[in-house]
Amino acid sequence: MASADIENLIKSQVMEVARNVEQQLDSELEKLENMDMDDMERLRGDRMKQLKEQAKKRQEWLAMGHGEYTEIHEEKEFFEISKKSKDIVCHFYKDGSPRCKIVDHHLKLLCQKHVEARFVRLNVEKAPFLTDRLRIRVIPTLALIKDSKTKDFIVGFTDLGNCDDFSTEMLEWRIATAGVIDYKGDLLNPPEKKKKTKSILNHPKRSIRGRDSDSDIDDEEDM
């Protein structure tokens, strides 16, 4: 097929899509123009009902500890939370880890923005059963839980640009890919990644329990 024919075909398809969109807009405008006072009042009532339901749900979430980044002190508490909250972001950390502190910083911001999910942290040294059950070998690790099932893990910083200075938006996007938070952006494309600069951390790799490394990130700690 000649290039001119291909160009004409593309133009034709674009025009067809434009016509369909225009027809849909015209249809919606016509519906609005033909609405009487009863229709408008009914629409307003439906919207008010929706807003009230959202406000009620938000209050229920806040009552369960959503909107805060809280510490879990024992494994039993983790299972209790998973029964109450549908969506959970759990940070498995270790005291003294600089990279865990970076994750803490971002999660403190995200928990306030996404009250629909419960954000918690759990010290791996106080949770040997969970750590082994979830096969957590590297810290920091985020377990992304939905309906009491672990949907995904964020292990170290590999998925976040493989650098220490990733943005909160980058972590937000990565968490959203597991469906545990409401995300308004494009799930298919992450926020623009920062160019990797010199690491803000400069410490040797350490093992928590003396095992060999399971990660290709230089400064992460393996368990």
Side-chain angles (χ1 to χ4, degrees), residues 8-21:
N8 290 333
L9 177 60
I10 293 174
K11 288 181 179 179
S12 176
Q13 292 176 337
V14 170
M15 290 298 295
E16 182 64 26
V17 171
R19 280 194 293 269
N20 290 335
V21 171

Side-chain angles (χ1 to χ4, degrees), residues 81-94:
I81 289 174
S82 65
K83 292 178 181 178
K84 297 177 181 178
S85 296
K86 179 179 179 181
D87 299 299
I88 301 172
V89 177
C90 184
H91 174 204
F92 286 85
Y93 78 98
K94 178 180 178 291

Side-chain angles (χ1 to χ4, degrees), residues 24 31 45 47 54-55 67 77 81 87 89 95 103 109 135 146 153-154 168 170 172 184 192 194 212:
Q24 292 175 4
K31 289 180 181 179
R47 180 55 178 164
Q54 290 176 351
E77 188 178 354
I81 289 174
D87 299 299
V89 177
D95 286 331
V103 173
L109 299 174
R135 298 180 181 179
K146 191 174 190 68
F153 294 94
I154 302 177
T168 302
M170 186 65 178
E172 178 185 27
K184 306 302 182 183
E192 184 178 357
K194 294 182 179 180
D212 294 333

Side-chain angles (χ1 to χ4, degrees), residues 51-52 71 103 108 136 141 146 151 169 186 222:
L51 291 174
K52 288 180 180 179
E71 177 87 20
V103 173
K108 287 176 183 178
I136 294 174
T141 288
K146 191 174 190 68
K151 301 292 291 185
E169 291 74 21
D186 182 2
D222 44 290

